[in-house]
Amino acid sequence: MKTQKSRLSPFYFAVIGAVLFTCSAGSTTSSSSQATVSPAKTDETPVAKAASPQLEAFRYEIADLADKLIPTVVSIQTESTVKVNGFGDFFGDDFFDQFFNFGNPRQQKPKERKQQGQGSGVIVSSSGQILTNNHVVDKAENIKVTLSDKREFQAKVIGTDEMTDIAVIQIEGEVKDLPVAALGNSDALRVGEWVIAIGNPFGLSQTVTKGIVSAKGVNKRGIAEYENFIQTDAAINPGNSGGGLFNLSGELIGINSAILSRSGGFQGIGFAIPVNWARNIMNDLVKDGKVSRGWLGVSIQDIDPGIAKALNLNPAKGALINEVFEGSPADKGGIKAGDVVRSINGKTIEDANDLRNTVAALRPGEYAEFEVLRDGKFLKLKINIALREENNLAGAASAPKDGKKEVANEWGIQAAEPTKAQKKEAGLTESSGGVLVVSVTGKSAAEKAGLKKGDIILAANNKPIAGIKDFNAVFGENTKPLLLLIRRSGSQFYTVLEK
């Protein structure tokens, strides 16, 4: 009996436990039923297990990628000396100056104080070269770099480029086992592609955000002189500047540079400098300490729908040449005002900004093949690109004064022959043709086209306007849209005049 009792004892307690559990469950179910809460079904698959195998596999993809990329991004702290007037920024300079400097703040000697700054950077070589923004290290007297493993180094500036907001700094001292970012191809990026931004926003080290590429080729933001930004909705905030924008292959495809914000914080629009740009600039800075840019010697503009219609362009791509500077590479290579540049070395030119950026990236002294559209025909021209220097950029002149021999017409333009002095003031030679716009009639075709008093009309439909006789002939006979070449304040542009 002892043996039997020993064998039944576990079974006995198991049965009793099961009965008690069932009763308890039944009691609970009954109570829940009275509370109008439906009982859970035991045969349903738990929600946590409802994910597909594909989602389960993707669950840690970005986390695994971030683990590999975070070490390539560093925190940068800078210190610089700035001058402040009066008593600094406690209540504003004027407050203390009025009371302690007897209302004459200019007599207060400027004082120097140390200013701290922070940003991010990306390690791009095993020797310790780091890509970052110019505005992160600009005028920095002391630069400290902190790695993700908490190692700290001093760094020095190798070179900066204010025109693109790119800088290269170098870790000083002995460095070992540095994680290096793989440089990708930013030209291959697609709008809608997933990207990861890594940096140190607001001093929060090694922050990772994700988003997509919202747009490419963004320009005219006023951030730098040369702009060709990648736009992303991956969160970028102050302190992210100089950090990396990576694709899902783990390649660096951009250097985070700026945000579009009314509050100072992230609002869904951030900008990164394409790594293809940054790579070329970095190579110049490391090799020469400065950037060498190509120069063509032209004035250009975008092709709007009106110009495209007048030139019979479809699609409306390319850049319109307004003016060719005498003795420039464009002049020597055969480019003329009125030409539309469609490609350079086989690369399609989308607009004027694209032409400007493409030419700047060309190596001075090398030949480039330009495909231009002239009078409905495609031409290929070999141009020897020159080095961009400040003294070979277009100058500006003040608007000419009114002339004589005024003539009015139904387009809304009152014109006159410009004097020699007026031509010179506009940057034209004495032998140059053209007629001076003396006035523009309100609500006329001329006003709609943007013509202003002081403009000089040089050509219509790519035919030179030598003087008032040509002006009257062209404007009196035509009823179709006219493509006008205008001289204003020392530069030239095209506009379409349409009745």
Side-chain angles (χ1 to χ4, degrees):
M1 289 295 294
K2 290 182 179 180
T3 305
Q4 185 178 11
K5 185 176 180 180
S6 173
R7 290 179 179 175
L8 293 176
S9 182
F11 177 76
Y12 173 82
F13 284 108
V15 171
I16 294 300
V19 171
L20 290 174
F21 177 80
T22 304
C23 293
S24 175
S27 175
T28 303
T29 302
S30 175
S31 175
S32 300
S33 178
Q34 292 176 5
T36 68
V37 178
S38 301
K41 295 182 180 180
T42 58
D43 59 345
E44 285 189 353
T45 303
V47 174
K49 297 295 183 180
S52 67
Q54 291 82 0
L55 286 178
E56 282 288 338
F58 181 71
R59 179 179 177 184
Y60 294 112
E61 285 294 322
I62 291 180
D64 291 342
L65 186 59
D67 285 343
K68 297 176 182 178
L69 299 179
I70 284 175
T72 68
V73 179
V74 303
S75 173
I76 299 175
Q77 294 85 38
T78 64
E79 185 178 78
S80 58
T81 302
V82 296
K83 291 184 177 181
V84 293
N85 293 322
F87 290 83
D89 301 323
F90 294 104
F91 291 95
D93 292 344
D94 291 342
F95 178 85
F96 279 110
D97 286 334
Q98 289 292 334
F99 285 93
F100 296 98
N101 200 30
F102 304 102
N104 191 358
R106 292 187 179 181
Q107 291 182 2
Q108 179 70 37
K109 185 178 179 179
K111 297 181 179 180
E112 293 185 346
R113 66 177 176 87
K114 295 296 182 180
Q115 178 174 280
Q116 311 297 322
Q118 65 180 28
S120 307
V122 184
I123 303 172
V124 291
S125 77
S126 58
S127 62
Q129 291 174 358
I130 295 172
L131 263 176
T132 185
N133 287 140
N134 171 67
H135 73 262
V136 170
V137 298
D138 185 35
K139 299 178 181 178
E141 298 163 358
N142 182 50
I143 303 174
K144 183 176 73 173
V145 171
T146 305
L147 276 59
S148 63
D149 60 9
K150 307 305 179 183
R151 284 185 290 170
E152 294 184 351
F153 299 92
Q154 291 298 117
K156 64 179 180 180
V157 174
I158 292 180
T160 63
D161 183 43
E162 185 178 359
M163 291 185 178
T164 55
D165 196 26
I166 283 290
V168 182
I169 63 176
Q170 172 74 54
I171 291 176
E172 295 184 303
E174 185 179 354
V175 290
K176 293 182 180 179
D177 303 322
L178 284 180
V180 178
L183 305 188
N185 179 11
S186 52
D187 290 343
L189 270 180
R190 297 176 59 189
V191 173
E193 183 175 342
W194 283 94
V195 289
I196 298 173
I198 303 178
N200 303 279
F202 303 110
L204 302 173
S205 298
Q206 312 304 325
T207 297
V208 179
T209 57
K210 69 175 179 63
I212 63 168
V213 174
S214 307
K216 293 175 60 179
V218 177
N219 57 79
K220 300 178 182 178
R221 297 290 94 200
I223 299 169
E225 182 168 344
Y226 286 93
E227 297 181 343
N228 184 33
F229 292 115
I230 301 165
Q231 182 180 317
T232 178
D233 66 353
I236 297 174
N237 283 293
N240 268 115
S241 291
L245 190 69
F246 299 87
N247 60 23
L248 293 191
S249 295
E251 299 170 324
L252 180 69
I253 45 86
I255 299 296
N256 300 324
S257 182
I259 58 175
L260 185 64
S261 174
R262 295 178 181 177
S263 64
F266 177 68
Q267 290 187 260
I269 299 178
F271 302 111
I273 301 167
V275 75
N276 288 12
W277 267 35
R279 180 193 288 112
N280 292 336
I281 293 165
M282 176 181 66
N283 291 339
D284 275 359
L285 292 176
V286 171
K287 181 182 177 182
D288 304 320
K290 62 179 181 179
V291 180
S292 298
R293 291 187 171 86
W295 182 68
L296 183 61
V298 295
S299 172
I300 55 178
Q301 75 178 78
D302 288 330
I303 298 173
D304 60 29
I307 292 175
K309 182 179 179 181
L311 293 176
N312 195 27
L313 286 178
N314 186 22
K317 289 186 177 182
L320 182 61
I321 304 295
N322 300 332
E323 181 181 9
V324 177
F325 305 140
E326 186 177 356
S328 68
D331 184 30
K332 295 176 182 177
I335 291 180
K336 296 182 179 180
D339 287 351
V340 176
V341 179
R342 299 301 292 265
S343 70
I344 299 177
N345 289 337
K347 176 186 177 295
T348 300
I349 299 300
E350 299 290 335
D351 52 28
N353 185 70
D354 191 17
L355 172 63
R356 186 168 179 263
N357 292 337
T358 302
V359 169
L362 295 174
R363 307 312 299 173
E366 295 183 358
Y367 280 88
E369 184 177 80
F370 284 65
E371 184 181 54
V372 302
L373 182 63
R374 180 186 301 166
D375 298 328
K377 298 179 180 179
F378 286 99
L379 303 174
K380 290 188 177 182
L381 304 172
K382 289 282 188 179
I383 310 294
N384 188 3
I385 301 300
L387 174 67
R388 171 180 164 159
E389 298 174 348
E390 292 304 317
N391 59 6
N392 63 18
L393 302 180
S398 57
K401 299 177 181 178
D402 293 354
K404 299 179 180 179
K405 301 181 181 178
E406 298 182 358
V407 177
N409 65 51
E410 59 182 324
W411 296 86
I413 303 171
Q414 194 172 25
E417 296 265 3
T419 64
K420 293 180 180 179
Q422 288 169 342
K423 288 182 179 180
K424 183 178 180 180
E425 194 173 3
L428 299 172
T429 63
E430 291 185 9
S431 60
S432 298
V435 294
L436 178 72
V437 176
V438 177
S439 66
V440 175
T441 305
K443 298 182 180 180
S444 65
E447 184 182 62
K448 184 179 179 181
L451 290 179
K452 295 181 179 180
K453 177 182 176 180
D455 288 348
I456 294 181
I457 303 174
L458 298 176
N461 289 343
N462 289 326
K463 294 181 179 179
I465 301 293
I468 288 296
K469 183 177 180 181
D470 288 344
F471 174 81
N472 287 335
V474 172
F475 284 78
E477 298 174 358
N478 278 284
T479 57
K480 295 181 179 180
L482 295 172
L483 181 66
L484 303 183
L485 177 58
I486 306 298
R487 181 84 178 183
R488 178 186 295 169
S489 299
S491 60
Q492 295 178 191
F493 65 94
Y494 281 90
T495 188
V496 175
L497 192 64
E498 191 170 7
K499 282 189 178 181

